[in-house]
Amino acid sequence: MVTEAEASLPRERSPRHVSVKDVAAAAGVSVGTVSNVLNRPDKVLPSTLEHVLGVIDELGFVRNDAARQLRAGTSRSVGMVVLDVRNPFFTDVAQGVEARLGEQGRPLILANSGQDEARESTYLDLFEEQRVSGLLITPVGQVLPRLRRIRDRGTAVVIVDRRVGSREFSSVSVDDKLGGRLAAQHLVDVGRRRIAFVGGPRGLNQVKDRLAAAEMVASASRGVALRFVETATMDADAGRRAAEDLLKLDGRERPDAIFAANDLIALGVLQALTLARVRVPDDIAIVGYDDIDFAASAAIPITSVRQPREGMGQVAADLLLDVIADPARRVRHVVLEPELVVRRSTAG
Amino acid sequence: MVTEAEASLPRERSPRHVSVKDVAAAAGVSVGTVSNVLNRPDKVLPSTLEHVLGVIDELGFVRNDAARQLRAGTSRSVGMVVLDVRNPFFTDVAQGVEARLGEQGRPLILANSGQDEARESTYLDLFEEQRVSGLLITPVGQVLPRLRRIRDRGTAVVIVDRRVGSREFSSVSVDDKLGGRLAAQHLVDVGRRRIAFVGGPRGLNQVKDRLAAAEMVASASRGVALRFVETATMDADAGRRAAEDLLKLDGRERPDAIFAANDLIALGVLQALTLARVRVPDDIAIVGYDDIDFAASAAIPITSVRQPREGMGQVAADLLLDVIADPARRVRHVVLEPELVVRRSTAG
DNA sequence: ATTGGGCGTTGAAAGGTTTCAACTACGGAT
DNA sequence: ATCCGTAGTTGAAACCTTTCAACGCCCAAT
């Protein structure tokens, strides 16, 4: 019975893939010619071309990229490791990269380290095994030696949104010191005296630089105190929690301004403050960083330090393409300038 | 002179990659053994294992994934084509997928169709050529025949956030009719009579279903009129423009409620209304769709239809893994339920 | 002393594409 | 009539990994 039932099922023919060899056989030409049809159509007699294309279509032939890469030694793809795909900042940067690479017919493979060293490392493995032709990375952990080895094996590497290993790798970044200064100075200018910087982890250069610049501004302004509230991550949730902690401080300790290391944190902070009926900006002003689209449409539109996100992506792609084209090329660092966008969260 | 200069340059040794063969030679074993070290370490004498691993490390050997895939016939990766990476809804779904796939050590390759048929098609080509083991897609164009062929060649396919080709492909979706009904009924319940549905393009099933359900609610409620404002895309910009158009209508024509097909549109609408000093919800109420995190933190927190985003991603991954494991598996459709989250944009 | 079985290792084959030197045919030049 | 050059095509080699039948060796059992 069982046998009968099975027998009555339509026999699935094994879905083996059609290869150039099959196409060649069916078309009555050599594999070399099929390959020429695919890669150098001008070298093929028009009639042959047409015929082979017909067979390809009929048989449903699809190039096997693995074999192609194996032969070529490297893939055309570019790998990109970002800190957090859910942060629009990074998807905007990626968008810029993708746009530029797309012009060259190079696919972008996006991977999300989630600020986790282990995942970062896993994805680097993956990209190496895939022999991507280039690698864009915003490093989390101590990956410099690793990147060096990758580069030595012939893969182009460009650092995005950071400037580490300056002697060895080209990079695009935005001047975080300037950004930090702009934000802090603005808060001081609108009369704030007790500023809390919320962000982290401390190890991140971005955090470090923005904080350092803010500290300089604070110490240069009489009567201004700055405290650092470290967070483990840079998302809205971290912002909410940090704000709740700050609200536990009473009167004289409580800050009158919060400088968030990015807009997601700022949004979280804003939510927590609103929930606690703290008035923004009257009681506490907020400055964010990145100027993601959502900052402008927040409950209280958030003052933010705008970074040229897509532009950064494009520059990153350009630098990488240069290195791919000529690995010996001199290391370059492009530093873009951020810009303060004042909105209601600090107005007043 | 030129020659001298060149000669004096440090001779770049070509960065050829180290292969198993090289490792084998250096370790004094056969390639088979090296492969065993990598894939079946338990079959190898501990002393050999250690020695070979040492050589691997020393030589900086990195597996060539292309060769590996070529042999295996298929890659472990899963490809996913989303409509818009910049929409947090999709990155949240992708996050869910990635989490589940990650448990199985399968990388997820994300591609962005941007609601463009040509790009969708390009990425399908890419994924096919890469022989991904599975494909998750939220289709834009008429890709059904295409997907059928891909499936017939042995690639698992699962439809995400849609339910097309029900007989042939498993799918996860959220009940858009229900969502549309919830939103529209809510607007009617709070006393709105002239509802504008903003979204598009019309061809999208999601749009179609949500709209159809809203129309049913409208026609079942006396004195309620519904108009459809079609947009080309589903982003904030489209929302802004649609709202500007709606504001050109005078008094009696002007809607007192807007049902946006997603939250990005809703945010755009909100911005345009705010700019035009239209009071929300007093003059015009807004309902969004998706309940992305940013809906809650908008200037006026937006009432929205919540979709289980990560959950959907996980279900999608599960369905896909099932099909990969057993291609003959019966087609299944998981339909999740949305839920209305009421906030200030409709309160009153 | 011989056989059988296990363990660890070997080496060749397979997988699909691209490249390139070599070949064929043919028209034009000598 | 012969040679040359060109355009089009061929087929083998190379890319690197994995698999698997076969092999050698040693110990245990007969």
Side-chain angles (χ1 to χ4, degrees):
Chain A
M1 208 180 89
V2 169
T3 317
E4 261 186 16
E6 279 185 351
S8 75
L9 281 173
R11 241 291 162 268
E12 288 274 332
R13 65 172 192 73
S14 110
R16 245 202 71 264
H17 274 269
V18 177
S19 76
V20 273
K21 210 188 268 180
D22 301 325
V23 173
V29 298
S30 75
V31 291
T33 299
V34 177
S35 179
N36 282 337
V37 166
L38 295 169
N39 304 303
R40 298 187 216 62
D42 49 303
K43 298 280 169 211
V44 172
L45 206 61
S47 61
T48 315
L49 183 67
E50 196 188 351
H51 176 218
V52 174
L53 285 176
V55 173
I56 284 178
D57 191 50
E58 188 186 329
L59 264 49
F61 166 77
V62 177
R63 246 204 199 98
N64 184 327
D65 194 52
R68 183 196 247 251
Q69 276 183 214
L70 173 57
R71 185 82 231 289
T74 171
S75 112
R76 284 186 61 73
S77 318
V78 166
M80 176 167 186
V81 184
V82 301
L83 288 191
D84 179 8
V85 258
R86 301 174 78 171
N87 184 340
F89 173 74
F90 290 105
T91 47
D92 287 351
V93 175
Q95 183 90 351
V97 172
E98 202 191 10
R100 188 61 105 239
L101 292 179
E103 293 167 11
Q104 316 271 328
R106 288 183 180 272
L108 175 69
I109 305 178
L110 212 54
N112 182 23
S113 74
Q115 292 196 39
D116 180 287
E117 278 202 50
R119 288 178 60 186
E120 173 177 58
S121 181
T122 306
Y123 278 116
L124 285 178
D125 281 342
L126 183 74
F127 286 147
E128 266 210 280
E129 294 187 358
Q130 299 211 357
R131 303 284 192 270
V132 293
S133 49
L135 201 53
L136 294 170
I137 182 169
T138 307
V140 189
Q142 294 308 315
V143 282
L144 225 56
R146 184 79 187 277
L147 293 178
R148 231 172 257 138
R149 272 170 41 200
I150 293 178
R151 193 254 335 263
D152 290 345
R153 290 192 200 110
T155 304
V157 176
V158 167
I159 309 283
V160 178
D161 197 31
R162 295 294 162 83
R163 193 177 164 167
V164 291
S166 323
R167 303 220 82 77
E168 307 165 275
F169 302 105
S170 288
S171 71
V172 214
S173 54
V174 178
D175 190 335
D176 283 318
K177 294 245 168 69
L178 174 54
R181 208 177 328 137
L182 286 173
Q185 190 61 55
H186 172 63
L187 289 175
V188 171
D189 288 349
V190 296
R192 305 296 162 150
R193 290 295 171 262
R194 295 182 307 284
I195 304 176
F197 179 95
V198 177
R202 182 181 257 116
L204 290 184
N205 272 314
Q206 286 153 302
V207 173
K208 229 183 285 179
D209 287 354
R210 293 171 197 174
L211 174 59
E215 272 166 347
M216 274 190 47
V217 170
S219 60
S221 319
R222 46 187 313 138
V224 173
L226 186 120
R227 89 163 59 219
F228 175 37
V229 180
E230 188 173 10
T231 60
T233 56
M234 302 262 281
D235 50 27
D237 221 49
R240 272 188 288 269
R241 278 198 295 265
E244 282 160 14
D245 287 349
L246 283 172
L247 290 179
K248 286 183 196 138
L249 301 173
D250 50 31
R252 115 169 16 147
E253 287 282 315
R254 189 187 275 193
D256 56 9
I258 293 177
F259 174 14
N262 76 7
D263 284 341
L264 291 185
I265 293 177
L267 284 167
V269 166
L270 177 60
Q271 284 182 315
L273 295 187
T274 307
L275 200 68
R277 309 215 170 280
V278 173
R279 290 169 307 161
V280 176
D282 313 60
D283 300 332
I284 300 183
I286 302 177
V287 177
Y289 209 106
D290 290 349
D291 192 33
I292 59 177
D293 292 344
F294 298 106
S297 54
I300 313 278
I302 296 176
T303 295
S304 189
V305 179
R306 171 178 299 165
Q307 307 211 59
R309 303 183 294 279
E310 297 205 28
M312 184 147 83
Q314 285 173 9
V315 172
D318 286 338
L319 287 174
L320 191 72
L321 290 170
D322 283 352
V323 183
I324 290 174
D326 173 13
R329 179 145 195 139
R330 180 145 91 271
V331 166
R332 280 184 299 162
H333 299 285
V334 178
V335 179
L336 305 174
E337 296 219 334
E339 168 189 4
L340 186 73
V341 181
V342 178
R343 299 205 182 84
R344 271 236 304 292
S345 72
T346 59
Chain B
M1 207 179 89
V2 168
T3 317
E4 262 188 15
E6 281 184 350
S8 74
L9 281 174
R11 241 291 165 267
E12 286 273 333
R13 65 171 191 77
S14 110
R16 243 201 74 262
H17 275 268
V18 177
S19 77
V20 273
K21 209 188 266 180
D22 302 325
V23 174
V29 297
S30 75
V31 291
T33 298
V34 177
S35 178
N36 282 336
V37 166
L38 296 169
N39 304 302
R40 297 187 216 64
D42 49 304
K43 298 280 170 213
V44 172
L45 209 61
S47 61
T48 316
L49 183 68
E50 196 188 351
H51 175 218
V52 174
L53 285 176
V55 173
I56 284 178
D57 191 51
E58 186 187 329
L59 263 49
F61 166 77
V62 177
R63 246 205 200 97
N64 183 327
D65 193 53
R68 182 181 229 234
Q69 278 184 211
L70 174 58
R71 186 83 232 287
T74 172
S75 111
R76 285 187 59 75
S77 318
V78 166
M80 178 167 185
V81 185
V82 299
L83 289 190
D84 180 8
V85 258
R86 303 174 78 171
N87 184 340
F89 171 76
F90 289 104
T91 45
D92 286 352
V93 175
Q95 183 91 350
V97 172
E98 202 190 10
R100 187 62 107 237
L101 292 179
E103 294 167 10
Q104 316 271 328
R106 288 182 180 273
L108 176 69
I109 306 177
L110 212 54
N112 182 24
S113 74
Q115 292 197 40
D116 181 287
E117 279 201 51
R119 287 178 62 186
E120 173 178 60
S121 182
T122 306
Y123 278 117
L124 285 178
D125 282 344
L126 182 74
F127 286 148
E128 267 209 279
E129 294 187 357
Q130 299 211 357
R131 302 285 191 268
V132 294
S133 50
L135 201 54
L136 294 171
I137 183 170
T138 306
V140 189
Q142 294 306 315
V143 281
L144 223 56
R146 185 78 187 278
L147 294 178
R148 231 172 257 138
R149 273 169 41 201
I150 294 177
R151 193 256 333 265
D152 290 345
R153 290 193 200 110
T155 303
V157 175
V158 167
I159 310 284
V160 178
D161 197 31
R162 291 300 159 81
R163 192 178 164 167
V164 291
S166 322
R167 305 219 79 78
E168 307 165 274
F169 301 106
S170 288
S171 72
V172 214
S173 54
V174 179
D175 190 336
D176 282 318
K177 296 246 168 70
L178 173 55
R181 209 177 326 136
L182 287 173
Q185 190 62 55
H186 172 63
L187 289 175
V188 171
D189 288 350
V190 297
R192 305 297 162 149
R193 291 296 171 262
R194 294 181 308 284
I195 304 175
F197 179 95
V198 177
R202 182 181 255 114
L204 290 185
N205 273 311
Q206 286 152 300
V207 174
K208 230 183 283 180
D209 287 354
R210 292 171 196 174
L211 174 59
E215 273 167 346
M216 274 191 45
V217 169
S219 60
S221 320
R222 47 186 314 138
V224 173
L226 187 121
R227 91 163 57 220
F228 175 37
V229 180
E230 189 172 9
T231 61
T233 56
M234 303 261 282
D235 50 26
D237 220 49
R240 272 188 287 268
R241 278 197 297 262
E244 282 161 13
D245 287 348
L246 283 171
L247 290 179
K248 286 182 197 139
L249 302 172
D250 49 31
R252 117 169 15 149
E253 287 282 315
R254 190 187 272 192
D256 56 7
I258 292 177
F259 174 14
N262 77 7
D263 283 341
L264 292 184
I265 293 178
L267 285 166
V269 166
L270 177 60
Q271 284 182 315
L273 296 187
T274 307
L275 200 68
R277 306 216 171 278
V278 174
R279 291 168 306 159
V280 176
D282 313 59
D283 301 331
I284 301 184
I286 303 178
V287 177
Y289 209 105
D290 290 348
D291 192 33
I292 59 177
D293 292 344
F294 299 107
S297 53
I300 314 278
I302 296 177
T303 296
S304 189
V305 178
R306 170 178 300 164
Q307 307 210 61
R309 302 182 296 278
E310 296 206 27
M312 184 148 83
Q314 284 174 10
V315 172
D318 285 337
L319 286 174
L320 191 73
L321 290 170
D322 283 352
V323 182
I324 290 173
D326 172 14
R329 178 144 197 142
R330 181 146 89 270
V331 166
R332 280 184 298 163
H333 300 285
V334 178
V335 178
L336 305 173
E337 296 219 334
E339 167 188 5
L340 187 73
V341 182
V342 178
R343 299 205 182 83
R344 270 236 307 292
S345 72
T346 60

